[in-house]
Amino acid sequence: MKKEKRETISKQLRWKCFSAVSSASGLASASFSCCGRFGIAAYRRYSSGSGYPNISLSSPLPGIPKPVFASVDGQEKYETKITTLENGLKVASQNKFGQFCTVGVLVNSGSRHETKYPSGIAHFLEKLAFSSTAQYGSKDEILLTLEKHGGICDCQTSRDTTMYAVSAEVKGLDTVVSLLSDAVLQPRLLDEEIEMTRMAVRFELEDLNMRPDPEPLLTEMIHAAAYRGNTVGLPRFCPGDNVDKIDKKVLHNYLRSYYCPERMVLAGVGIEHEQLVECARKHLLDVRPVWGESTPTNVDLSVAQYTGISIYFPDECLTQKEYFVSLSQEDDFIPFAVLNMMMGGGGSFSAGGPGKGMFTRLYLNVLNRHHWMYNATSYHHSYEDSGLLCIHASADPRQVREMVEIITREFIQMAGTAGEMELERAKTQLKSMLMMNLESRPVIFEDVGRQVLSTGKRKLPHELCTLISNVTASDIKRVTTKMLRSKPAVAALGDLTELPSYEHIQAALSSKDGRLPRMYRLFR
Amino acid sequence: APSICSTTPETRLTALDNGLRVASEETGHGTCTVGLWISAGSRYESEKNNGAGFFLEHMAFKGTKKHPQTALEQQVESMGAHLSAYTSREHTAYYMKTLSKDLPKAVELLSEVVQSSSLSEADIEQQRGVVLRELEEVEGNLQDVCLDLLHATAFQGTPLGHSVLGPSSNARSLTRQDLMDYINSHYKAPRIVLAAAGGVNHEELVGLAKTHFSGVSFEYEGDAVPVLSPCRFTGSEIRMRDDGLPLAHIAIAVEGASAASPDIVPLMVANSIIGSYDITYGGGKHLSSRLARLAVEENLCHSFQAFHSSYSDTGLLGIYFVTDKHHIDDMMHWMNLCTTVTESDVARGKNALKASLVGQLNGTTPICDDIGRHILNYGRRIPLAEWDARIDAVTPRMVRDVCSKYIYDKCPAVAGVGPVEQLPDYNRMRSAMYWLRF
């Protein structure tokens, strides 16, 4: 009896919800709004599943107090505040409303600093992050503690920075900072953890080689070609033979030299600056790291030496051929970013819809005219003392020569005068991409951290937008001419029998129109 | 009673006279996302015009009566905006990400795309080739293939079994008239929501909506209102055996809860207890989900993911995993986990769920998408405070009871792609569904 009564009531509730919905939304929706489906699920006789309060999600839950919503007053012109502690550690924060915050430690250490060590330490450290530490017996404990505050943790290494980040509720700030200090300065690095990391690294290397998309491999190659054997040219992923060479002692040696307070920044987004500084004082000042005092004596301060050379990876099995040409650039980060936006490019199948760069030069001049090319994209990598502007192209192996010529011609044309409309479009797209990316809290956190780590200050988004607006066509011309004077770096992957020689490519890039020198062959 | 001070702004909802709903959340960003969420999708299509919605999505940005294709594209590119669309089984969305000051232009372009798309014959022919090529490419993505097969078998014979892209025969034969019919029967004002998030002002948005969308009709021809017939779930299986593939992709699901059903909350908690796993996660033995720990210790699989797809009157609750051909049998023991749920598992699951609900809302586009979908599914935007309250009300006993309501002794739907020889016979899998012991 009771069960039937409950079911009738739940039926009535359901109809009430639907009539409320349909009257709010007009005439036609009533007949096909979710008809109460009184199928098997509702009529189970032996399970008590339907006995629970069943207020459909379409109507508000009764009994909860009415929430008071936040209101946004004016523009969010919060500033980034920076403080330097006594031991050299910088603390930077940007306030933002919301109940969640992202806090993390960025260290000026990456694969570029591994000259005197076996390559791959950065890769290992990334996988070992947030494992057992002095206070937390295992990764599980760390995750449990974080879950109490709805938090997640992550580590990312790149060529020049290592970033440990935690996103959690604002009330858990103290726990978060203590956890970060533990994870960065006092990891236990147990043998079994290192063994598991070795397995994970091997899997990742296998996965990289198996993937149809060659981009990560090519990025490695082009950096190795551009900066032969030094700093940024060192491999970012651990080379296969080094996987077994790296152990606790090697890691401690490295950490001793590079993980010192002067090379670190504690950044936070979504919290008050004073609170963050207080937590930093409590947990990061005068903490003795597990490897002993940090002695920054063996620090590699080398400046990236650009050496353009070529690196080829002939591989008969690949049907496509990938090709990267890049040139160095030093300052003038913003004009190069605008230039990169103007060149654009992507896959030949489709740009992805309006707004994704279908009017950029690589689409208009290259992909739309030569349908046999699979892909032509321009990339811009920038480090604190040097940078790369690359064009990546891929096509069938038999058309390598034409492809190379097209790319060299594009490079030469970069030094010509940019059209006014295309320049304006590139600037607007760059500004809007910047603003859209900075909507997300983790991105703001990374931006604050990286800027403070490299320059000690942070330029706010609207300042960057002004700088972008001030770029003129003559700026682009100036930076491109300077860039074209340096030697090119070439990386190629695939069936390379038809690839022109490096000297020819170099000659093409120094010529006026970008054409490859004519090759006369008696036997074709 | 004390009021909850929320740290998110309110979502404001207004309805125009013709039934079109306008909703927005003002967050003060310099950018915004604005879009149209429409209650139309492959579920509303018949066998003959299956794929019309997807084709229409391709045609959408090929020009309108006022802006031919190049003009439309140049406008969008010069604004630095991104124009995108997606179609799913029950929803279609057209949205644009742009700087906040360009909101009026964005709404104008969107209104043209939806109401006066030119749909020229030449463009239709050209897009046929693109659609066929995309159908070919999708065949390579085995996760999508597996989940599509799952829907096709679970909802066989009903419109929910159709795949969103439609068969290639339809891609070859759809005409302009089919696409116009589709628009005229489904793009009606009460089924459309104009949603926006970011640096947008609600009054301004409503004004713009009145200017551009008052013309959207709310009446059907001949008063023939399309009725969504219920889609029955059929316990069944489908296997696409191919021993040449390196890994097997398998999905098992039972009928789940509908979108607005209150059972969704305990089911979401159960899913976050099982969680997801991928072999490239560095966590190893210390992942929080028990199944993940087992998967690592015994090297059971490459990845798995618990999912719940819900539609307006039904749903699919299940697990999808990728493994090599020798471990399929071992992975089948996930069902036991529903009975052995403990207090701490549930506490963890609830926290993880609350965190992920908030964490996903990072940026104007996810917020706008959330607003659009909530209004189509529930008629209102559920505030985070209410989600928190509903999640807090979940107890371990509730999780066990609700799970047994949907899983215990029910016929599953199974889809397998790849080297699936070891996948047990359907009858064995069906009988395993009542081995659960309390």
Side-chain angles (χ1 to χ4, degrees):
Chain A
M1 271 306 283
K2 261 201 195 146
K3 216 162 273 179
E4 279 147 341
K5 189 166 180 203
R6 251 182 286 160
E7 275 153 0
T8 346
I9 293 182
S10 68
K11 261 193 245 180
Q12 282 174 349
L13 260 173
R14 260 185 262 222
W15 276 118
K16 273 217 191 92
C17 307
F18 297 134
S19 48
V21 168
S22 36
S23 59
S25 56
L27 323 162
S29 64
S31 27
F32 62 85
S33 56
C34 15
C35 313
R37 198 176 154 276
F38 308 130
I40 310 168
Y43 279 170
R44 280 226 102 142
R45 282 209 276 155
Y46 298 110
S47 104
S48 45
S50 51
Y52 290 103
N54 27 14
I55 313 286
S56 153
L57 291 171
S58 307
S59 48
L61 199 61
I64 52 169
K66 194 164 154 45
V68 169
F69 291 102
S71 66
V72 185
D73 41 7
Q75 290 282 23
E76 272 201 342
K77 282 260 188 310
Y78 292 120
E79 261 185 14
T80 311
K81 302 207 182 106
I82 308 176
T83 318
T84 315
L85 294 185
E86 294 79 32
N87 61 357
L89 177 80
K90 294 200 191 67
V91 181
S93 79
Q94 167 92 23
N95 209 340
K96 184 173 156 38
F97 78 34
Q99 62 190 95
F100 272 72
C101 64
T102 305
V103 180
V105 171
L106 287 97
V107 188
N108 197 350
S109 120
S111 61
R112 76 176 281 171
H113 300 111
E114 287 171 5
T115 358
K116 302 197 185 102
Y117 299 89
S119 285
I121 294 187
H123 198 185
F124 263 75
L125 286 175
E126 183 183 31
K127 298 262 178 263
L128 276 170
F130 296 108
S131 302
S132 65
T133 69
Q135 269 182 49
Y136 297 92
S138 70
K139 193 166 182 127
D140 207 27
E141 274 186 50
I142 297 187
L143 291 176
L144 246 181
T145 322
L146 279 179
E147 274 175 6
K148 292 202 184 80
H149 299 286
I152 47 169
C153 61
D154 184 36
C155 172
Q156 271 185 7
T157 51
S158 66
R159 297 193 129 81
D160 53 2
T161 325
T162 306
M163 200 167 72
Y164 296 83
V166 175
S167 285
E169 281 173 6
V170 178
K171 349 192 249 263
L173 183 62
D174 197 62
T175 325
V176 165
V177 180
S178 124
L179 168 67
L180 275 169
S181 132
D182 237 33
V184 174
L185 294 174
Q186 316 224 357
R188 276 197 225 159
L189 301 175
L190 300 170
D191 285 327
E192 92 183 326
E193 286 169 352
I194 299 196
E195 195 46 54
M196 267 198 313
T197 312
R198 288 204 184 111
M199 247 178 35
V201 167
R202 283 198 197 99
F203 256 122
E204 197 170 338
L205 289 173
E206 222 181 271
D207 184 55
L208 270 178
N209 283 326
M210 265 201 326
R211 264 200 230 181
D213 170 26
E215 209 212 294
L217 272 178
L218 264 178
T219 317
E220 286 283 289
M221 281 166 66
I222 196 68
H223 278 89
Y227 300 97
R228 170 87 165 255
N230 72 72
T231 61
V232 191
L234 294 170
R236 157 137 165 45
F237 297 106
C238 187
D241 347 319
N242 283 1
V243 175
D244 289 312
K245 284 192 208 149
I246 299 185
D247 64 3
K248 187 163 166 174
K249 200 152 146 275
V250 173
L251 288 171
H252 273 199
N253 268 337
Y254 180 83
L255 292 169
R256 198 173 300 133
S257 309
Y258 286 97
Y259 273 36
C260 8
E262 307 84 61
R263 297 173 74 90
M264 294 203 236
V265 171
L266 175 69
V269 176
I271 30 120
E272 292 282 334
H273 192 68
E274 288 70 35
Q275 270 187 311
L276 189 62
V277 175
E278 206 186 294
C279 291
R281 285 225 154 85
K282 205 162 120 188
H283 299 288
L284 284 165
L285 201 55
D286 302 324
V287 172
R288 195 186 156 76
V290 74
W291 51 81
E293 271 311 313
S294 292
T295 45
T297 48
N298 293 336
V299 168
D300 184 52
L301 287 168
S302 29
V303 168
Q305 303 284 343
Y306 180 81
T307 62
I309 55 153
S310 53
I311 288 202
Y312 296 147
F313 202 57
D315 184 339
E316 304 303 319
C317 325
L318 292 185
T319 51
Q320 293 180 349
K321 199 213 132 287
E322 319 291 339
Y323 169 73
F324 243 121
V325 175
S326 71
L327 297 160
S328 111
Q329 41 101 164
E330 277 149 28
D331 313 302
D332 305 316
F333 169 64
I334 306 257
F336 270 109
V338 175
L339 179 63
N340 185 36
M341 222 42 197
M342 207 161 66
M343 297 303 292
S348 72
F349 181 45
S350 151
K356 309 265 168 59
M358 44 196 341
F359 285 100
T360 54
R361 276 207 193 152
L362 283 179
Y363 263 108
L364 287 178
N365 299 346
V366 176
L367 288 170
N368 288 354
R369 285 195 202 156
H370 307 277
H371 295 283
W372 43 266
M373 286 194 76
Y374 301 148
N375 188 322
T377 327
S378 97
Y379 294 98
H380 177 212
H381 301 280
S382 163
Y383 305 102
E384 64 181 354
D385 45 8
S386 179
L388 285 179
L389 181 72
C390 336
I391 295 190
H392 166 199
S394 86
D396 191 77
R398 284 162 294 181
Q399 286 162 310
V400 163
R401 219 187 131 72
E402 290 99 274
M403 179 170 77
V404 171
E405 195 161 61
I406 293 174
I407 299 296
T408 49
R409 268 201 297 202
E410 280 303 313
F411 262 108
I412 300 292
Q413 277 171 3
M414 274 194 229
T417 330
E420 198 186 302
M421 221 177 63
E422 88 180 317
L423 184 64
E424 275 315 303
R425 195 185 303 133
K427 290 197 308 198
T428 319
Q429 283 181 336
L430 185 62
K431 275 187 272 185
S432 87
M433 195 179 77
L434 181 75
M435 300 296 288
M436 285 184 206
N437 283 345
L438 286 176
E439 286 171 7
S440 140
R441 203 187 48 244
V443 175
I444 303 182
F445 158 76
E446 192 175 332
D447 187 47
V448 168
R450 272 179 197 268
Q451 284 203 44
V452 174
L453 194 63
S454 53
T455 64
K457 308 194 288 284
R458 182 193 182 214
K459 290 206 182 75
L460 289 173
H462 60 93
E463 290 174 37
L464 286 171
C465 285
T466 331
L467 283 173
I468 296 174
S469 307
N470 291 343
V471 169
T472 62
S474 55
D475 282 325
I476 306 266
K477 191 163 179 161
R478 170 179 55 88
V479 299
T480 325
T481 337
K482 196 166 87 173
M483 172 180 82
L484 284 172
R485 277 193 227 122
S486 62
K487 278 165 62 171
V490 179
L493 186 62
D495 178 0
L496 304 173
T497 38
E498 299 269 326
L499 184 69
S501 70
Y502 179 72
E503 289 71 30
H504 281 188
I505 299 180
Q506 205 179 358
L509 282 171
S510 344
S511 72
K512 270 218 198 96
D513 57 359
R515 285 190 179 279
L516 287 168
R518 285 271 151 266
M519 265 182 54
Y520 294 100
R521 278 202 205 138
L522 283 177
F523 305 101
R524 275 236 148 201
Chain B
S3 50
I4 298 177
C5 185
S6 172
T7 44
T8 44
E10 188 187 355
T11 309
R12 298 179 52 194
L13 174 62
T14 323
L16 298 185
D17 292 330
N18 60 358
L20 191 127
R21 284 165 285 183
V22 182
S24 76
E25 181 176 314
E26 182 168 356
T27 59
H29 284 111
T31 50
C32 69
T33 306
V34 59
L36 290 164
W37 268 257
I38 308 176
S39 209
S42 67
R43 185 173 178 175
Y44 296 81
E45 294 166 359
S46 68
E47 298 254 347
K48 270 190 288 165
N49 71 348
N50 181 18
F54 181 68
F55 206 105
L56 196 56
E57 182 196 321
H58 270 256
M59 292 302 300
F61 306 140
K62 295 286 173 264
T64 67
K65 296 204 174 75
K66 251 206 245 164
H67 290 94
Q69 182 176 355
T70 9
L72 177 66
E73 288 168 356
Q74 283 201 342
Q75 265 272 344
V76 174
E77 293 260 332
S78 306
M79 275 162 58
H82 289 197
L83 185 53
S84 336
Y86 70 77
T87 329
S88 77
R89 291 187 154 86
E90 285 190 336
H91 301 311
T92 307
Y94 297 91
Y95 61 96
M96 195 146 133
K97 279 182 74 109
T98 173
L99 296 169
S100 300
K101 62 178 174 66
D102 290 324
L103 182 67
K105 195 76 196 154
V107 177
E108 183 192 332
L109 286 175
L110 281 171
S111 79
E112 282 181 35
V113 160
V114 165
Q115 290 176 65
S116 52
S117 193
S118 51
L119 296 177
S120 77
E121 295 282 358
D123 281 330
I124 292 187
E125 287 312 312
Q126 192 205 28
Q127 284 301 110
R128 251 188 245 288
V130 176
V131 169
L132 285 169
R133 192 168 151 187
E134 195 162 334
L135 282 171
E136 226 180 276
E137 273 193 41
V138 162
E139 286 292 311
N141 182 345
L142 290 178
Q143 177 173 356
D144 282 346
V145 168
C146 184
L147 291 172
D148 261 353
L149 285 176
L150 183 70
H151 279 85
T153 187
F155 297 113
Q156 53 188 266
T158 68
L160 265 182
H162 294 158
S163 104
V164 178
L165 281 66
S168 48
S169 51
N170 283 5
R172 290 196 188 97
S173 63
L174 282 172
T175 63
R176 183 173 195 274
Q177 192 52 40
D178 292 322
L179 297 181
M180 291 301 294
D181 285 340
Y182 185 85
I183 296 184
N184 286 338
S185 26
H186 299 297
Y187 284 17
K188 297 292 178 194
R191 292 162 71 170
I192 303 184
V193 175
L194 176 69
V200 295
N201 178 284
H202 191 73
E203 279 75 29
E204 188 189 345
L205 188 67
V206 174
L208 288 167
K210 286 203 175 105
T211 325
H212 296 288
F213 289 104
S214 302
V216 179
S217 112
F218 52 87
E219 287 168 327
Y220 290 89
E221 271 176 41
D223 244 3
V225 179
V227 173
L228 258 194
S229 42
C231 287
R232 59 147 195 269
F233 175 90
T234 311
S236 52
E237 69 163 8
I238 182 166
R239 295 173 193 230
M240 214 168 90
R241 179 169 172 183
D242 181 351
D243 286 344
L245 293 170
L247 295 170
H249 298 246
I250 301 177
I252 305 179
V254 290
E255 186 172 18
S258 63
S261 154
D263 288 335
I264 292 263
V265 184
L267 289 176
M268 277 171 23
V269 174
N271 272 351
S272 68
I273 295 175
I274 301 181
S276 65
Y277 162 76
D278 190 293
I279 204 165
T280 56
Y281 284 6
K285 296 212 301 276
H286 305 293
L287 290 168
S288 46
S289 145
R290 212 175 323 143
L291 183 58
R293 261 177 271 160
L294 273 175
V296 173
E297 274 166 29
E298 316 200 7
N299 214 357
L300 287 181
C301 69
H302 273 239
S303 71
F304 74 77
Q305 187 184 339
F307 67 87
H308 186 172
S309 312
S310 53
Y311 303 104
S312 53
D313 56 358
T314 179
L316 279 181
L317 167 72
I319 189 165
Y320 162 79
F321 58 94
V322 179
T323 177
D324 67 50
K325 57 186 171 190
H326 299 296
H327 291 120
I328 301 180
D329 206 24
D330 302 323
M331 275 301 292
M332 300 296 292
H333 297 304
W334 69 285
M335 294 156 214
N336 300 344
L337 298 175
C338 287
T339 51
T340 47
V341 154
T342 64
E343 194 56 72
S344 70
D345 279 338
V346 172
R348 243 185 180 184
K350 279 160 51 169
N351 272 334
L353 184 61
K354 280 194 248 184
S356 80
L357 278 177
V358 178
Q360 277 165 16
L361 296 178
N362 208 352
T364 58
T365 308
I367 297 181
C368 191
D369 189 55
D370 200 55
I371 296 179
R373 276 182 307 111
H374 274 211
I375 305 219
L376 285 182
N377 280 336
Y378 315 124
R380 64 188 183 111
R381 174 123 193 260
I382 302 183
L384 283 173
E386 189 179 327
W387 276 122
D388 275 357
R390 284 186 188 253
I391 295 175
D392 280 331
V394 171
T395 61
R397 193 174 169 83
M398 198 196 283
V399 173
R400 269 182 262 152
D401 283 344
V402 171
C403 284
S404 63
K405 171 173 156 187
Y406 287 95
I407 303 178
Y408 183 67
D409 200 21
K410 300 293 229 159
C411 298
V414 182
V417 178
V420 291
E421 183 184 3
Q422 213 192 45
L423 189 63
D425 176 56
Y426 184 77
N427 288 313
R428 259 193 64 200
M429 285 196 279
R430 171 66 183 85
S431 50
M433 304 293 270
Y434 55 78
W435 286 350
L436 306 177
R437 298 280 178 268
F438 288 85

